[in-house]
Amino acid sequence: MRIKDGFVLREVAGQGVVIATGEASRDFHGMIRLNGTGEMIWKSLADGRSEERIVEELTERFDITEEQAKTDVTAFVRQMRDNGFLVD
Amino acid sequence: MTERAWSEDIERILETEGLFVSTTSGTSMWPMLRDRRDTIIIRPIADVRPDGVLHKYDVPLYRRETDGAYVLHRVIGVSGARSETRYVIRGDNTYTPEYVRPDQVIGVLSDCYRGNRRIDLGGRPYRLYVRCWVAIYPIRHCCRLLRGALARTPLKGLYRACTGR
């Protein structure tokens, strides 16, 4: 699983925003604002990390349980899939 | 973790989000902005210009009156008296000025990324680019006319060989 070519994260006023560039921008005309957790998951996905590894990272970095981290990562990945940002 | 906004109605996004982030399509702002490669960040005018008035070299986003299309081009001057003010606007890679009423302007470019590199719009390299690019417009215009004339002569083969077209 990886992020589709053309979808990029930009830092704007201290917040992450995902937009489409290149061919991807022909179909996706929006922007997605991410909070800190979302931004971290996005960057980890961009680096090619697995969902399991991202859950570990979240629990290490933030004061949350593994269960909560799993819920967050699963929800985020599902949203990204629904938006067509991910390919297997 | 996410909040989604779509660009069909940029006015609404600017109002609710306070900014609009996207890429651009077309080559009218080349060489500054390349087709679908670079990132623009648009904000309401009041956030960038507290007096609500665009300055020369600003890059506003406006709705073209003829077809309602969103256009992002550069202010090169202001014409008309106070009540009849029109911004004279031209793309960095276009050759026809547009006359835009202040109420057509939706927002203004506040930041941009060229590829992954952030361009400081207040920085010296950008300001130098803008001033030089606008100043050499007459030369660019002449070159374009010459290219067009050359392409219509028997020398067009040579022209195509030189330009790769």
Side-chain angles (χ1 to χ4, degrees), chain B:
Chain B
M1 276 177 288
T2 63
E3 192 182 317
R4 209 160 93 159
W6 298 94
S7 64
E8 274 72 18
D9 188 354
I10 299 176
E11 292 93 329
R12 187 187 57 76
I13 295 175
L14 279 174
E15 200 176 308
T16 55
E17 308 280 332
L19 57 84
F20 172 69
V21 186
S22 184
T23 187
T24 54
S25 63
T27 57
S28 65
M29 278 299 283
W30 182 89
M32 180 182 162
L33 298 171
R34 298 160 300 172
D35 184 29
R36 297 183 190 277
R37 288 177 65 182
D38 302 316
T39 306
I40 53 164
I41 294 133
I42 305 289
R43 292 181 195 275
I45 295 179
D47 290 4
V48 179
R49 299 291 183 204
D51 57 1
V53 177
L54 292 173
H55 296 196
K56 188 176 180 182
Y57 306 126
D58 282 350
V59 181
L61 178 75
Y62 64 94
R63 282 252 199 198
R64 194 158 51 197
E65 205 152 49
T66 48
D67 59 1
Y70 291 112
V71 180
L72 184 78
H73 285 167
R74 188 181 305 283
V75 175
I76 54 167
V78 181
S79 73
R82 187 174 291 266
S83 59
E84 295 291 320
T85 297
R86 296 286 183 277
Y87 294 117
V88 187
I89 292 180
R90 192 173 60 216
D92 283 4
N93 192 34
T94 66
Y95 296 88
T96 310
E98 303 137 78
Y99 295 87
V100 174
R101 293 190 317 274
D103 64 277
Q104 286 174 257
V105 177
I106 297 158
V108 61
L109 185 72
S110 68
D111 302 270
C112 85
Y113 284 82
R114 203 158 192 280
N116 290 319
R117 187 166 55 94
R118 187 176 173 277
I119 305 295
D120 178 6
L121 299 189
R124 184 174 286 193
Y126 174 75
R127 284 187 289 137
L128 188 64
Y129 155 73
V130 168
R131 279 161 178 73
C132 289
W133 195 253
V134 172
I136 64 168
Y137 172 76
I139 299 170
R140 290 191 286 117
H141 190 42
C142 285
C143 288
R144 179 170 175 268
L145 293 175
L146 277 173
R147 279 200 308 269
L150 191 60
R152 287 192 295 273
T153 69
L155 290 171
K156 63 186 174 191
L158 176 65
Y159 166 77
R160 283 181 183 153
C162 292
T163 59
R165 291 177 191 177

